[in-house]
Amino acid sequence: MERVRSRLMLSAFALALGITAVPLQAADQQLTPAQQQFLEIAKSLKPRSGKVALPEARVSLDLGDKYEFYGPTDARKILVDIWQNPPGAAEGVIGIVFPKGGSPLSGSWGAVLTYEDTGFVEDSDAADADFDTILSDMKQASEDSNAERKSQGYPPMHIAGWAEPPKYNPQTHSVVWARDLLVEGDQVHSLNYDLRTLGRSGVLSANFVAMMPDLASIRTAAADFAQHASFDAGARYADYDASTDRKADYGIGGLVAAGVGVAAAKKLGLFAILLKFLKPILLGLAAFGAGIARYWRRLFNRRAE
């Protein structure tokens, strides 16, 4: 299994090295038309480091020289044009963060950032949320959606389980969970690692996309990245004013349910929220990582389309 993943990642690194180790003109001459197309897209991206403001979320990123941020326009190019996700994958995305030196073509992890204006999410249910039931419903939702996925040209996806069960940190007002996903045709399981940080009026989401063997490193990366993103003064969780602010219709359990599947959210009475909150599971937008693996296999191990 690890050898298969290594071939996929080595293919990615081979392209990245071809870009950086030789002059671009020479590298261009060595690429197939399909590879050339992805290279041109990558060369058009404009990453930023240092301090980045996300006014739509009232969040500030202090990335220093450790991370690089790609804005919404670049994020769409990455998700749709390079990683070959459906166009809907880019809706609501306010940016993508990569570790310094990483890129959409390097095989490194990327954190897809979104913000949902949910209102204040109360955390009093965090200790009592039934995450086992949510997992069961999430699996059923995935299986129920596979016929629709196939009809739209996407392979069936199966939920193997929690790679990391949901856990709430009351000090940072953040919740993390990770899903172990298997897309038919892929020999390596994909990893979706979610970090949600609660603010006064909404939730900042960072969805880390990688492969299951990367779980330990992604866990460390997510914990570190959380220290580089914060709500601005007046928008923090502690700034909530019960006399004036809108409160969400759900707590931590509902936040997780709405983030992992239709069936679970329906059972919690959240279907109306799903239309603006959930990235639809039937399009496989929960499987960005699997999309990366399929992309590399298709690009390098099959004839270029």
Side-chain angles (χ1 to χ4, degrees), residues 37-280:
Q37 178 184 2
F38 290 113
L39 174 61
E40 292 301 324
I41 296 172
K43 287 161 61 177
S44 73
L45 303 177
K46 299 178 176 61
R48 289 182 283 160
S49 294
K51 294 185 177 181
V52 177
L54 304 177
E56 58 272 77
R58 299 185 68 186
V59 165
S60 295
L61 304 179
D62 189 0
L63 304 179
D65 59 359
K66 194 171 185 178
Y67 300 98
E68 291 184 323
F69 173 81
Y70 295 78
T73 300
D74 282 352
R76 181 177 182 82
K77 293 179 181 179
I78 293 168
L79 292 172
V80 178
D81 299 331
I82 296 179
W83 288 356
Q84 299 289 283
N85 281 289
E91 292 181 6
V93 173
I94 59 178
I96 298 180
V97 173
F98 287 93
K100 184 73 172 182
S103 79
L105 297 176
S106 71
S108 65
W109 60 261
V112 180
L113 304 182
T114 56
Y115 174 76
E116 298 296 337
D117 183 19
T118 59
F120 180 79
V121 178
E122 195 168 14
D123 61 3
S124 58
D125 72 323
D128 302 321
D130 187 356
F131 297 124
D132 289 338
T133 297
I134 291 175
L135 173 62
S136 176
D137 291 339
M138 175 178 65
K139 288 182 176 181
Q140 188 60 53
S142 179
E143 297 303 322
D144 291 345
S145 70
N146 276 332
E148 181 67 19
R149 285 174 54 84
K150 292 175 68 175
S151 72
Q152 297 191 24
Y154 300 98
M157 180 180 68
H158 308 286
I159 309 296
W162 293 121
E164 185 167 313
K167 183 183 302 182
Y168 180 68
N169 185 328
Q171 280 72 48
T172 61
H173 304 293
S174 62
V175 57
V176 297
W177 68 83
R179 287 162 286 174
D180 180 347
L181 309 174
L182 177 62
V183 176
E184 290 189 12
D186 292 341
Q187 297 185 14
V188 182
H189 285 219
S190 296
L191 170 68
N192 264 205
Y193 196 102
D194 282 276
L195 167 66
R196 305 289 173 93
T197 303
L198 311 183
R200 176 179 181 175
S201 303
V203 179
L204 176 69
S205 170
N207 178 238
F208 292 75
V209 295
M211 308 303 285
M212 271 302 298
D214 298 320
L215 176 59
S217 61
I218 293 299
R219 182 186 294 118
T220 300
D224 182 74
F225 175 73
Q227 307 303 313
H228 296 263
S230 61
F231 282 94
D232 299 333
R236 300 178 182 129
Y237 196 79
D239 296 324
Y240 171 68
D241 186 341
S243 65
T244 59
D245 295 345
R246 177 171 58 94
K247 183 181 291 188
D249 296 326
Y250 51 86
I252 300 300
L255 177 68
V256 175
V260 298
V262 174
K266 280 184 177 179
K267 288 192 175 184
L268 292 178
L270 301 173
F271 188 70
I273 302 171
L274 286 172
L275 297 180
K276 68 173 183 177
F277 187 83
L278 178 65
K279 295 289 186 293

